[in-house]
Amino acid sequence: MNNLKLNSTDVIVFVFAGVVLLALLFGFIIYFIYTYQKRQQRNLSEKNMLKEEFKRTLLRTQIEIYEQTLKNISQEIHDNIGQTLSLVKLNLNTIDLQKENAGDKIVNSKELVSKAIHDLRNLSKSLNTDSILASGLIKGIETELSIIDHSGNFKTELQLHGQATRLDPKKELILFRIVQESLNNIIKHSNANSILVKLDFTNTYLKIEVGDNGKGFDVDPGNSEGLGLRNMKNRAELIGGNFYIISNSNGTIITITLPTA
Amino acid sequence: MFNDFVHSAYYSLLIAATAVSLLLIKRFSAGFRFLALLIILTLISESIAKYVSFVYRKNSNFVYHVFVVVEFGFYALIYSRFFGNRQWNIALLFCFAALFSAEILNTIFLQALKLSNTNILILEALMLVCISLNYFMKLREETLHTPLVKEPIFWFNCAVLFYYSFNVLIWGFHSLKVYQLKKPPLIIYDFNLILSALLYFVYGGALLLNSYANYKIVPVDE
């Protein structure tokens, strides 16, 4: 009888301890699920915010590229094609068919019109996004350098290192526009006569260097040319890359690195 | 009668979990493959124990002396895959070595092969409770691609935490009564079997979830 009583007390103690333990374990699991969900929600909202921020930056960059493109078109038409056509007009206005040099002037005007057509074709090619996307970054840079080379004012060189691979087309386009803007800056401001573009493909990253032998400039972001450079830096960072400038009186080197793995 | 039902439920669920393990083992991820092997080994060890006690009419406790070390070894392998870092691999190896040494010392000095090795069962359960709590901490920091309730790792870890927490209580209570030279109440054995049955039910479910998750990511053209 005594043993039976002892056993029933043991059972009560055991069951009570079991219930307490079960409550503790359930409490822990509920707390875990609650904190986990809270953390997940926070992560999700942070991720969404980053996505939104990325979209906004992408849009801003696209607008900047668009504005830059319009500026380039305007400048190109004004400085080259406009000048050439004005010269043609001047030639045609001053032609006197009775004079001996009329034929020379006509030949000269024909050459100027051909040059204007050639310039227009180049302008169209370098602005056409589809053609750049189709031909790829290397071909695009090659074309740009060949146009600059044909102007006769610059000696250009393209060096390729490593096994060249195609990147995401959007990234290639942004990289191309950065290189294009760097080349425009060299043409306009550097007083250089030699341009070297290096593309270094490794298993993990792509490194692009655009260098010139010009007068260099102050890389302080506070100077007047800082905005364009900052935009190029922002664009490089937007696609996960880095952007550096080294400039002194012997020239400037712009470096862009982009992880590819 | 109730005891028979509990026994039948336990063995049915263990056999079902073993069948799932055998049939789907190729589809499991590395950690769950070790769990499948553990379940198969559990059925084998239980069968050996029953065979020895029913056919030879001999004490079968020696089977559990060996099996508890093997079982912890498998848990260590499972958690080393789940944690996936060097510190935890070392910690799990250290735990295994400690349990193995404790089992030898316990067999020599405290609970011989003929006795139930409850001291080691308690030690194993305590270690697994600590490991599973730590794994919950790790899980909290991770971003899973599926909802938590569809994650086999979550269910596996819950099962380990619940089962081995109760194991500490069951074998602790058992040992306390034995050391007081009193008979432990029968309810604890039934309760242990019910918990074991639930453990293999959850393990089987976790294995199915894992195989389903891996099946989904197999490309259609394969």
Side-chain angles (χ1 to χ4, degrees), chain B residues 81-100:
Chain B
R81 290 294 183 282
F82 290 168
F83 278 109
N85 70 50
R86 200 167 167 270
Q87 286 99 322
W88 267 102
N89 286 351
I90 293 167
L92 290 165
L93 193 68
F94 177 78
C95 288
F96 178 74
L99 191 90
F100 185 65

Side-chain angles (χ1 to χ4, degrees), chain B residues 71-83:
Chain B
E71 182 183 53
F72 188 81
F74 271 88
Y75 276 119
L77 284 171
I78 294 165
Y79 276 109
S80 79
R81 290 294 183 282
F82 290 168
F83 278 109

Side-chain angles (χ1 to χ4, degrees), chain B residues 2-51:
Chain B
F2 180 69
N3 192 263
D4 287 346
F5 170 74
V6 171
H7 265 92
S8 311
Y10 167 65
Y11 284 108
S12 304
L13 286 165
L14 179 57
I15 289 165
T18 307
V20 169
S21 306
L22 284 168
L23 290 172
L24 302 173
I25 196 158
K26 279 185 182 173
R27 282 191 192 171
F28 301 142
S29 52
F32 283 96
R33 216 164 269 185
F34 284 121
L35 178 64
L37 289 174
L38 174 62
I39 292 169
I40 296 164
L41 277 176
T42 308
L43 184 67
I44 293 170
S45 81
E46 287 285 9
S47 307
I48 292 170
K50 289 290 163 217
Y51 189 77

Side-chain angles (χ1 to χ4, degrees), chain A residues 133-176:
Chain A
L133 287 176
S135 59
L137 178 68
I138 300 170
K139 192 76 194 154
I141 294 173
E142 254 174 19
T143 311
E144 282 296 302
L145 289 178
S146 114
I147 292 167
I148 296 168
D149 216 30
H150 279 108
S151 74
N153 297 324
F154 297 91
K155 187 179 164 291
T156 65
E157 190 184 347
L158 175 64
Q159 287 182 4
L160 283 175
H161 302 281
Q163 182 68 44
T165 47
R166 288 293 305 260
L167 307 172
D168 171 19
K170 277 184 188 168
K171 287 185 180 178
E172 280 199 344
L173 184 63
I174 289 178
L175 284 174
F176 175 74

Side-chain angles (χ1 to χ4, degrees), chain B:
Chain B
M1 183 70 181
F2 180 69
N3 192 263
D4 287 346
F5 170 74
V6 171
H7 265 92
S8 311
Y10 167 65
Y11 284 108
S12 304
L13 286 165
L14 179 57
I15 289 165
T18 307
V20 169
S21 306
L22 284 168
L23 290 172
L24 302 173
I25 196 158
K26 279 185 182 173
R27 282 191 192 171
F28 301 142
S29 52
F32 283 96
R33 216 164 269 185
F34 284 121
L35 178 64
L37 289 174
L38 174 62
I39 292 169
I40 296 164
L41 277 176
T42 308
L43 184 67
I44 293 170
S45 81
E46 287 285 9
S47 307
I48 292 170
K50 289 290 163 217
Y51 189 77
V52 169
S53 58
F54 283 112
V55 177
Y56 293 105
R57 301 265 169 210
K58 282 187 179 172
N59 183 303
S60 62
N61 277 332
F62 74 92
V63 176
Y64 300 107
H65 279 263
V66 177
F67 182 69
V68 75
V69 179
V70 175
E71 182 183 53
F72 188 81
F74 271 88
Y75 276 119
L77 284 171
I78 294 165
Y79 276 109
S80 79
R81 290 294 183 282
F82 290 168
F83 278 109
N85 70 50
R86 200 167 167 270
Q87 286 99 322
W88 267 102
N89 286 351
I90 293 167
L92 290 165
L93 193 68
F94 177 78
C95 288
F96 178 74
L99 191 90
F100 185 65
S101 313
E103 171 57 41
I104 292 170
L105 294 173
N106 185 56
T107 308
I108 296 169
F109 298 111
L110 296 168
Q111 294 170 322
L113 287 175
K114 282 188 175 179
L115 296 172
S116 178
N117 58 340
T118 52
N119 293 338
I120 302 305
L121 289 174
I122 293 168
L123 182 65
E124 184 205 20
L126 281 171
M127 282 177 172
L128 285 171
V129 167
C130 291
I131 293 166
S132 89
L133 284 173
N134 274 288
Y135 192 71
F136 270 120
M137 298 298 282
K138 183 182 182 286
L139 207 59
R140 210 169 63 118
E141 305 300 319
E142 283 180 0
T143 305
L144 301 170
H145 300 294
T146 47
L148 201 57
V149 288
K150 286 186 181 172
E151 272 297 330
I153 289 180
F154 170 73
W155 288 111
F156 166 78
N157 209 40
C158 278
V160 170
L161 179 67
F162 273 73
Y163 179 75
Y164 288 99
S165 298
F166 275 101
N167 257 13
V168 176
L169 176 74
I170 290 165
W171 298 120
F173 198 78
H174 179 275
S175 296
L176 194 72
K177 290 289 131 190
V178 170
Y179 282 120
Q180 285 171 355
L181 299 174
K182 289 172 189 167
K183 205 178 167 191
L186 276 176
I187 187 177
I188 68 164
Y189 301 109
D190 286 339
F191 191 58
N192 187 34
L193 272 181
I194 293 169
L195 275 180
S196 299
L198 286 173
L199 178 79
Y200 291 109
F201 176 74
V202 179
Y203 278 180
L207 287 174
L208 284 173
L209 275 176
N210 182 250
S211 78
Y212 179 65
N214 289 344
Y215 179 68
K216 274 200 303 184
I217 58 169
V218 174
V220 178
D221 56 354
E222 267 190 15

